[in-house]
Amino acid sequence: MVFLLHALFRARLKWALNSWYKTFYDVLQDAEVGSGESGSGDHLAAKRQEVFDLLVEFGFIVLPAVFVHPIGKWCGSVWRFKWRMALVRAYLLHYDVRVEPIEGAAQRIHEDTQRFDEGIYQCLSVVLDSILTLVVFIPILLEAGATAHPPGIDSPAWLLIVAVTAAGGGLVVSA
């Protein structure tokens, strides 16, 4: 459950940062003033204050991540360790003590369970992160697809279809 909540938090953080970047760079783009305008100093001071306010907002957006990411990583590490221990215990139930011991068997069991755990964890986290990120960005993809579309395509969902197809294709190729 913590794994899923952490993935949701990461997807929400990506969405919030994307919105913040849009606002921030729009403000920076609008900060240019003509050289002959009167009051340009006031305009620059207002823009400077607006940029400072946006940087404070950025701090509030990422501040929870400073606490949530280490906690999520720690919970994931504990869960993975418990799972590896369960795998080792399941193996030991089938271990025959009458067979002559193999040198380095304990290390081999440890390394194999660790590699298996790492592979499953990475696979699940990448797939879950990709799915949740795509779900969070659906409204943005639909809005962008309605605004800018290739000739002959009138559907606002065209960009979403391209993103889902590319993600699915990448998943199939990776598998």
Side-chain angles (χ1 to χ4, degrees):
M1 182 57 131
V2 173
F3 186 67
L4 179 63
L5 291 174
H6 188 231
L8 282 169
F9 176 78
R10 284 192 318 259
R12 168 71 171 80
L13 183 63
K14 288 177 189 177
W15 176 82
L17 287 173
N18 184 61
S19 299
W20 182 85
Y21 281 128
K22 178 188 180 302
T23 306
F24 182 73
Y25 287 116
D26 286 349
V27 166
L28 289 181
Q29 182 178 359
D30 294 340
E32 295 180 12
V33 279
S35 58
E37 291 184 17
S38 61
S40 63
D42 293 338
H43 177 73
L44 284 177
K47 285 298 178 181
R48 190 174 298 123
Q49 182 61 42
E50 196 173 352
V51 167
F52 178 77
D53 293 342
L54 283 169
L55 291 174
V56 169
E57 181 184 336
F58 177 81
F60 283 117
I61 290 171
V62 298
L63 183 65
V66 171
F67 301 103
V68 171
H69 287 322
I71 291 169
K73 187 171 175 93
W74 180 79
C75 289
S77 295
V78 168
W79 177 76
R80 290 169 57 193
F81 177 72
K82 287 183 178 185
W83 188 45
R84 275 200 335 257
M85 291 304 295
L87 287 172
V88 169
R89 285 187 189 106
Y91 175 77
L92 291 177
L93 287 175
H94 301 289
Y95 182 72
D96 188 2
V97 293
R98 296 173 299 201
V99 176
E100 185 177 332
I102 299 172
E103 186 178 339
Q107 181 178 353
R108 177 69 189 262
I109 291 170
H110 168 72
E111 288 175 354
D112 287 352
T113 56
Q114 188 175 15
R115 283 189 201 120
F116 181 67
D117 154 59
E118 182 69 26
I120 295 294
Y121 182 78
Q122 288 297 325
C123 182
L124 287 177
S125 66
V126 166
V127 169
L128 183 63
D129 188 48
S130 299
I131 290 171
L132 291 176
T133 300
L134 188 60
V135 167
V136 167
F137 281 96
I138 284 175
I140 295 170
L141 290 171
L142 290 175
E143 181 183 333
T147 305
H149 48 82
I153 298 178
D154 294 329
S155 173
W158 76 271
L159 200 53
L160 178 63
I161 293 168
V162 168
V164 169
T165 304
L171 183 63
V172 168
V173 168
S174 296

